[in-house]
Amino acid sequence: MTESYLSIFILGGAIALAIICMSVFFIVKATRRAKQIGMDKKIIRETVRSSAVFSIVPSIPIVIGIGILMQSLGLAIPWIRLTVIGALQYELIAMNQAQTALESAGGYSQEVFVATAVTIMTLSIVSGPVFNAVFYKKYQGKLADLQEKNGRLMNTITGALLGGLLSGMLSSILVGGIFSIGSPVTDGSGITSYGEITIITLAAGMFIMGLCGLLLKVFKQKWIESYALPLTILGALGVAYALTASGVFAG
């Protein structure tokens, strides 16, 4: 292992340790504060349990994402990216952009590909932290003023932003799935995707979430509220894995 490669692992370990320390710090502070204000211990335990479910189970796709990115970027870089700020969909887009640019310029080595992909990832995503560091306090104040003066308008704006975000994600999945039906697409990670699997997985996720909603609203099963999202994620992943492993669309 070269010295530079070892330094990347040390950096990744330092980042992971910092995040763990921050998590422990806030758990301790929140628990102490809850006891100070007389919060019932049962409520504290239920809050910790629910938070653990919503933190651990949705992290499973992230671990899978690290495995996917490892094929092209090695272990350390996906570990650093997805531990802090990255998202699998974004990282794959950045890798594809790097691959497209390098292919248009001619041949390239694996080292050049990794360096280019990481540069694109970093420069693109750094806008979020920079915006928060410079403008977020003022932005948050404006939002608070708007909420106080016109709560209905604020709710409309928030709903429109959320709807636009979900519509963009949904349309991307649908278009990508529909146009790759019968024509498998291989992305920058070397993973071959099939439109049929994309569409079926989306439908499975919608079905599982709808079933959870039915249990909650019609049958008054309140417990499902804390598990709906994790169950949907794991269920959709299971369907995608089963279809991929069976190779039913590969032939």
Side-chain angles (χ1 to χ4, degrees), residues 40 56 58 88 99 125-126 133 139 159 161 167 172 198-199 201 223 244:
D40 188 270
I56 296 174
L88 178 59
Q99 184 181 37
I125 209 167
V126 76
Y139 172 73
L161 290 173
S167 298
S172 176
T198 300
I199 299 300
T201 301
W223 63 270
T244 303

Side-chain angles (χ1 to χ4, degrees), residues 5-83:
Y5 197 60
L6 178 61
S7 64
I8 294 178
F9 273 94
I10 294 174
L11 176 62
I15 292 173
L17 180 62
I19 293 174
I20 293 172
C21 290
M22 290 171 61
S23 301
V24 173
F25 172 79
F26 283 112
I27 289 174
V28 173
K29 292 285 288 185
T31 303
R32 288 178 178 174
R33 180 57 181 164
K35 292 179 179 179
Q36 287 177 359
I37 63 177
M39 185 177 292
D40 188 270
K41 291 184 178 180
K42 183 179 179 181
I43 296 177
I44 297 175
R45 288 195 298 269
E46 179 65 22
T47 302
V48 172
R49 184 187 62 81
S50 300
S51 299
V53 170
F54 274 98
S55 298
I56 296 174
V57 178
S59 297
I60 295 175
I62 297 177
V63 176
I64 296 174
I66 292 177
I68 293 173
L69 294 176
M70 279 172 53
Q71 300 180 68
S72 298
L73 301 179
L75 172 61
I77 292 173
W79 175 28
I80 294 172
R81 297 289 308 176
L82 297 181
T83 298

Side-chain angles (χ1 to χ4, degrees), residues 20-248:
I20 293 172
C21 290
M22 290 171 61
S23 301
V24 173
F25 172 79
F26 283 112
I27 289 174
V28 173
K29 292 285 288 185
T31 303
R32 288 178 178 174
R33 180 57 181 164
K35 292 179 179 179
Q36 287 177 359
I37 63 177
M39 185 177 292
D40 188 270
K41 291 184 178 180
K42 183 179 179 181
I43 296 177
I44 297 175
R45 288 195 298 269
E46 179 65 22
T47 302
V48 172
R49 184 187 62 81
S50 300
S51 299
V53 170
F54 274 98
S55 298
I56 296 174
V57 178
S59 297
I60 295 175
I62 297 177
V63 176
I64 296 174
I66 292 177
I68 293 173
L69 294 176
M70 279 172 53
Q71 300 180 68
S72 298
L73 301 179
L75 172 61
I77 292 173
W79 175 28
I80 294 172
R81 297 289 308 176
L82 297 181
T83 298
V84 185
I85 197 172
L88 178 59
Q89 299 87 341
Y90 163 77
E91 310 299 344
L92 290 177
I93 291 173
M95 286 174 55
N96 287 334
Q97 291 175 337
Q99 184 181 37
T100 301
L102 291 172
E103 286 177 349
S104 64
Y108 59 90
S109 64
Q110 178 66 17
E111 290 77 9
V112 172
F113 169 73
V114 172
T116 304
V118 172
T119 300
I120 293 175
M121 293 174 183
T122 304
L123 292 179
S124 299
I125 209 167
V126 76
S127 59
V130 170
F131 174 86
N132 288 338
V134 179
F135 301 109
Y136 184 72
K137 186 175 182 179
K138 185 176 181 180
Y139 172 73
Q140 188 179 36
K142 293 292 185 180
L143 291 181
D145 291 341
L146 180 60
Q147 179 68 43
E148 184 177 348
K149 295 176 182 178
N150 195 337
R152 174 177 287 186
L153 177 61
M154 180 63 188
N155 292 336
T156 301
I157 293 174
T158 304
L161 290 173
L162 179 59
L165 177 64
L166 293 177
S167 298
M169 295 173 61
L170 182 60
S171 61
S172 176
I173 294 172
L174 284 174
V175 171
I178 291 172
F179 279 91
S180 59
I181 290 178
S183 302
V185 176
T186 302
D187 56 33
S189 66
I191 298 298
T192 300
S193 59
Y194 301 88
E196 296 89 343
I197 295 179
T198 300
I199 299 300
I200 294 174
T201 301
L202 175 62
M206 295 173 63
F207 174 77
I208 296 171
M209 182 59 75
L211 184 61
C212 291
L214 184 67
L215 291 173
L216 176 63
K217 296 295 184 181
V218 177
F219 296 98
K220 308 301 180 183
Q221 299 294 316
K222 292 289 292 182
W223 63 270
I224 199 67
E225 189 172 6
S226 299
Y227 295 93
L229 180 59
L231 286 174
T232 301
I233 293 174
L234 292 177
L237 282 173
V239 170
Y241 175 78
L243 292 173
T244 303
S246 67
V248 63

